[in-house]
Amino acid sequence: MCGILGVFGSPEAARMAALGMFAEQHRGQESCGMAVSDGRVIRLRKKMGLVKEVFSDEALAELPGSLAIGHVRYPTKGSATAWNSQPHLLETLSGPGFALASNGDLVNYSSVRAKLEAQNVYFNSDNDGELLLRYIALQMQEGHEIIDAIRSLMREIKGAYSSVFATRDELYMFRDPLSIRPMTWGKTASGVVVVASESCALDTLDVQERQEVPAAGIIRVNSKGITIIENDPDLYRNIGSDRHCIFEHIYFSRPDSHHFGEDVFAVRQKIGALLAADDAGLDPDCIVPVPDSSNFIGLGYAARMGVPLSLGLIRNHYIGRTFIKPEQTIRDESVRQKFNVLPHFFEGKKIVLIDDSIVRGTTIRKIVKLIKAAGASEIHLRIGSPQVFHPCYYGIDTPSTAELVANRYPLEEIRSRTEVDSLKHISMADLRNAVQNPESYCYACFNGDYPLPPKTGSEA
Amino acid sequence: MCGILGVFGSPEAARMAALGMFAEQHRGQESCGMAVSDGRVIRLRKKMGLVKEVFSDEALAELPGSLAIGHVRYPTKGSATAWNSQPHLLETLSGPGFALASNGDLVNYSSVRAKLEAQNVYFNSDNDGELLLRYIALQMQEGHEIIDAIRSLMREIKGAYSSVFATRDELYMFRDPLSIRPMTWGKTASGVVVVASESCALDTLDVQERQEVPAAGIIRVNSKGITIIENDPDLYRNIGSDRHCIFEHIYFSRPDSHHFGEDVFAVRQKIGALLAADDAGLDPDCIVPVPDSSNFIGLGYAARMGVPLSLGLIRNHYIGRTFIKPEQTIRDESVRQKFNVLPHFFEGKKIVLIDDSIVRGTTIRKIVKLIKAAGASEIHLRIGSPQVFHPCYYGIDTPSTAELVANRYPLEEIRSRTEVDSLKHISMADLRNAVQNPESYCYACFNGDYPLPPKTGSEA
Amino acid sequence: MCGILGVFGSPEAARMAALGMFAEQHRGQESCGMAVSDGRVIRLRKKMGLVKEVFSDEALAELPGSLAIGHVRYPTKGSATAWNSQPHLLETLSGPGFALASNGDLVNYSSVRAKLEAQNVYFNSDNDGELLLRYIALQMQEGHEIIDAIRSLMREIKGAYSSVFATRDELYMFRDPLSIRPMTWGKTASGVVVVASESCALDTLDVQERQEVPAAGIIRVNSKGITIIENDPDLYRNIGSDRHCIFEHIYFSRPDSHHFGEDVFAVRQKIGALLAADDAGLDPDCIVPVPDSSNFIGLGYAARMGVPLSLGLIRNHYIGRTFIKPEQTIRDESVRQKFNVLPHFFEGKKIVLIDDSIVRGTTIRKIVKLIKAAGASEIHLRIGSPQVFHPCYYGIDTPSTAELVANRYPLEEIRSRTEVDSLKHISMADLRNAVQNPESYCYACFNGDYPLPPKTGSEA
Amino acid sequence: MCGILGVFGSPEAARMAALGMFAEQHRGQESCGMAVSDGRVIRLRKKMGLVKEVFSDEALAELPGSLAIGHVRYPTKGSATAWNSQPHLLETLSGPGFALASNGDLVNYSSVRAKLEAQNVYFNSDNDGELLLRYIALQMQEGHEIIDAIRSLMREIKGAYSSVFATRDELYMFRDPLSIRPMTWGKTASGVVVVASESCALDTLDVQERQEVPAAGIIRVNSKGITIIENDPDLYRNIGSDRHCIFEHIYFSRPDSHHFGEDVFAVRQKIGALLAADDAGLDPDCIVPVPDSSNFIGLGYAARMGVPLSLGLIRNHYIGRTFIKPEQTIRDESVRQKFNVLPHFFEGKKIVLIDDSIVRGTTIRKIVKLIKAAGASEIHLRIGSPQVFHPCYYGIDTPSTAELVANRYPLEEIRSRTEVDSLKHISMADLRNAVQNPESYCYACFNGDYPLPPKTGSEA
């Protein structure tokens, strides 16, 4: 998971981009970067670290220009180097060049890369974004216009990509034909164009009018204005419709974002309500969500159940991935670094505990232990997603099939190992009911119905 | 505001201290430090930065020993240097020495320092903790036992101090006679003694038995065991009773802490309930707290009002004090870096907005604007504390009397300037009702009734 | 002044380049950089600092490949940023790109840059090397071969340039038609091709066979072998002959280098001998050179005079440009940071003091004072170059005309202000006698006879 | 080997100390430190790195005061940490404290440390200087005056120590009874007192009057003036006379220093002359010293021989201990990083090569190879010291007995392995003739006659 951002038309483009990236920090904390053009030169800065660390006022002052693209990157194993950070920048023979940043995973990365390398196009990184950039550049080298280069890319490269591409005086936004990852753009009152992975970043920048970048859509912004390129009919005929990632609604996106035609928080509240509808007669003392990701599922559940929500678990927001490695000295230490219980709150209570998903199943077991140790008499666990049986190939960092707890034990054994009194997941049917256009989503991690063939063999 | 921590009796003292300090990170993010004794040498590490940055596994590995004291420091202007960080360490002529960390402000710092300097005791910093340490050291130099030195300190130095003091093989905890700041200690199942500003740090370390350090109390922990020193009768006769800081309950402490004989979250919920009791007939569409500090006041209000709580404001937890300085390009930008509204949520709604306090009044005005721009039809602002008319001299970082909005405008004008439809603070009487022992608190910031004379002249 | 280096054909190209650059460190201590190709990707590292700081074993390990070019940069005012450091790297649309490093100053930089910018070729720096690189790239963009592109460059760009240019699998060396700066190349026993500004770098790498790159020469090295390109007859007809910088012999080059057909140390010794020939009857007690630059002039003078050389001045080799700024507390402090006198050595002695040149005249005055304070009875100052009346436009960092002491005072007044008993410069005639082919040198700083028109107007 | 420095009575004490330490940089490049008192607080800064890196203008600005002591530390294995750097600082119970820096090695470090630890005096480092500081502090703790404490130290602690000790308003200098390491002090024209390991540091600071600190001498400097304490008669009776380290003259000290009653350069020239006296009839073409340490031995040899000195070997002064580790790719690479030969100089020549000493014998073998490869027909190696058979326990970093080449092979075999035509060391008798008071020196590394018993058993 990652987040992208683009700004066109502001003398403070770098500053606006940094503020927008800061609003998308939840999508990636490992590294971040920005490429800014002053119309003559595109300057690049990318480093390991948070937006507020990498883009100090001093750093921003060295990035003049009115066009900026930015990226925040999620920590993934093995590739935590500045080379794999985005954006990527390509200088050209005749002057300054092109930059690109993208969110999403490509399915046929290896075969396309091999094809390019056979044409002597070589690479500085293993990063998807660089493949997109060099693909476009090669097309241009061969004489194609940028728009045609991107269309060609859409025909040949399979996967999820919400991308921003900058020349020294133009900003392009484009998105894969399935529009798997979110991507929204708009204009400020003063005419600055901003595009972001999530609309919460547009809020930060006071962008008023806004709309999503269409599937297989290309939007060009330059000094003459904004051009929304018509979809390639051939391309579209083969595709059919959107396949948005349903996990963006369940867990990944910020609740104050709006995309795929939905308010994220509202989908979550509806999931909660549908879970509660199935629990008539349970009569809990209180409803406790795992903060912060499950808060809105909890609110929806509590409202439907008619029992007030409780914030019985407290989360330490200063946690980071680099902190002290847990050892066995202190019981359940790793979960205690992140979560704590209210004092005296759980004693003798019958709890409905709400979480968004179960992947490996380890964290929720520790949370349950914490609550039990705090005196809860009964714990009923409700999960805002169906069981996860299949890995994601389009940008969510899931473990291998064998590590998914749903593939390791029957549901009842998962319940007993988690030591809860009952365990229910939302059904696929109810999850589809929680959104307005259920056909426009990808549910592959639950049902294995992949809209694009998963990586196989050397691609995996 | 700051936080302290002490550990005695664990081979992993430094690691435990770091975990505890991490749980107290909300009490201070500017710098942190730790002094660890291996029985022969006390080693000190203190730096600007968060606990997770300063105390990496590598840093902890260089701090062997079974006795540790730690400190997190709040950002205050003008003194942001490593010299002013805590703990302070004093080596001695005959070997390694003493270390001390303290939370709270001293009222007669300047006069005591002048007296010590007249005896050729000089200082490396302007920090209160160093005064306490050098005062004790001078007493010892003059032949007094440590306990007598601390008693002498309690008679002469006025103010708030929750302190930990380490020799190379003993840990002392002591607290001012008014016990203004919180301080709780306990033992783990394996006998490790831990003391912290807040009990949430003890939770992280799985400390089971626990109690507060008594007013004017001294507790000594060494290899022979734990000694709780009787209060000095003369000292106590002049003092009478506790004067805990009521603001710890309202705003500063973590909701999952317990101190001053109360569960913090429960006091907040009661405040909310008492506010709601006064709003019968208001009939709002929703209750929205300013996150995260007002969440429990909001929960209390909502429960009493019978209207579900809404989490309509979203807070960006990656914010830090060092991020981009706001400029005027983007409307209300500084508040937008920190807060956002749910999409479509506020449209046409009648809102009760809950905040813990109004100090300068600037942030709440911007939040109200944000909510109004999101379409709210009515906003009724409820505040979980009485109006703040007086500065704090005991450790809360309040602005000068002239900057407090309560002294600048009549309440009705504050309401109209904040552009809310109604504005109510909890009354002093209700606030006292929200706690079990109202007489044991300091309310000086509301009513000017200072339990110790405020700093005057050169002390100010 | 700067130094360049190139290596082709070694699996340890980066390491060899670093060793070579280290031998050229005297040509530039401000920053250094290296671009290394593994046949697919050219990786660049350049930073402020010395070679041994920038190119640690760890840094070299991240620069795989068998082709490397490197650069050391001299500290000049106002441009001390990494952007102006060399080499410059240009990625290309269709894969990895080109890198270039150059030594020397261009005379018509501004007009060529303006012409390129008119063709939309923009720049990241103000550095000469980037102009050369982008010029070549534009020619290639327009369809020309690399050799033709460089020939075109030689016709259009005026000035001094000893340059190395790398594609991902070829190394090119080329040099301006006047061959103003030195440039020597050769092969190791195992066939590795190395090119350097100075032959002392080739010694470090045990390069046996060697020759100078010819004026207006281009040498291409690739997997097929070494191709020495014939000079462009048109280009050569207009030029006539070499104009090597005589100052390389007098002061700038290392004494253990050989170029312009001469052993540098031997030229210096001859200068010394010619100075001594003019001092018959002076009968000094000792000959003291200003170390280390004048040591060989001193040896030549001493041998001819028949008086042993003395090393009466000691130089502190730990000095760097960044050390403590002198203040007035300590007399002659700035010179004392760098030089000291032997104890009791100068007392009552008649000294011949040897220096290579007088530019501003400030340092030599302080050295003379130091020696006088040490008790010298007479000081006769001998200078290994004629008076400097004119600035250099081809790469030596001289001050403006007005700052040159030769333009400020008559020679006798310079002598009296320097407080020496006599002052003699070598004559132009003798300087020409000190070299084998006097016509092949540029003496413009002495006689104003510029082989290329100096910068005027906006070029200055 | 290390160097110390002290300044008393200048508002720019820190700056003067840094300049002095910079002049002593050759005595230690690993780390450096300074403690500066403003009369109330002693502030300490010590770090790994060169003086010019550690003591920037900014760093000096944070060290106000008129009393400073400083130290440069030589790189030794295993202890390269900031904890072992000097000066050491001890704060005291009643205010700011004491600081000490020392040059030299202690022989009975372990037994004295054990004795102190038995009295509960514990240590932060393994460094000799800390032992001296804590010893003095313990004496003071027990009621002794500083002078008496230092006298007690001199009776109990055996070894070499040239030390500076600072209270907040006094500077003490003291030196071991054998005065093994150099130590000279003096006053500037304005009355500032400066003490240094070497007089070249006093030159830098324009200190005019100067004298050596006497054996077992103590000098106290405070606002009342300078007090030279009489030697303790008991202490002196047992000692007899000085045992200065002869290696300071041969190799370690700067040639422009004066100590042990001698000009260092003059001793070296005399050594050279005595070597030459033994070579009558050799008739070499040229005399080449290994730069820079053997330059003056070379000058003395050349003058006596009547053959001009040649500087045929060039040393790269940018070399540092951290540079690239040699590999086997390039022949004799490690020596080539440091040394090079003049081009064409050695061809067919009969050379006298001069070096100061042979310890392991590895470097000189590589230098000889380099010169042979350059064409020398004969090489006669002359060494300015007798053969080194014994390790030093007083501060020179020599290898173990087994590693000394003199213990591994007969002299003739060393000659043949070094591949020189002849090899001569100066004789012990001639070395004694080279100095004025031969009885006042330690020659233990040559003849095993240790003035103090060497470390044995656990001390070794």
Side-chain angles (χ1 to χ4, degrees), chain D residues 377-397:
Chain D
S377 60
E378 283 182 45
I379 301 178
H380 300 272
L381 179 58
R382 296 296 175 264
I383 305 298
S385 57
Q387 283 191 280
V388 175
F389 290 101
H390 308 278
C392 177
Y393 299 110
Y394 316 134
I396 298 273
D397 183 36

Side-chain angles (χ1 to χ4, degrees), chain A residues 95 196 248 258 306 381-382:
Chain A
E248 291 275 354
H258 172 104
L381 179 58
R382 297 296 176 266

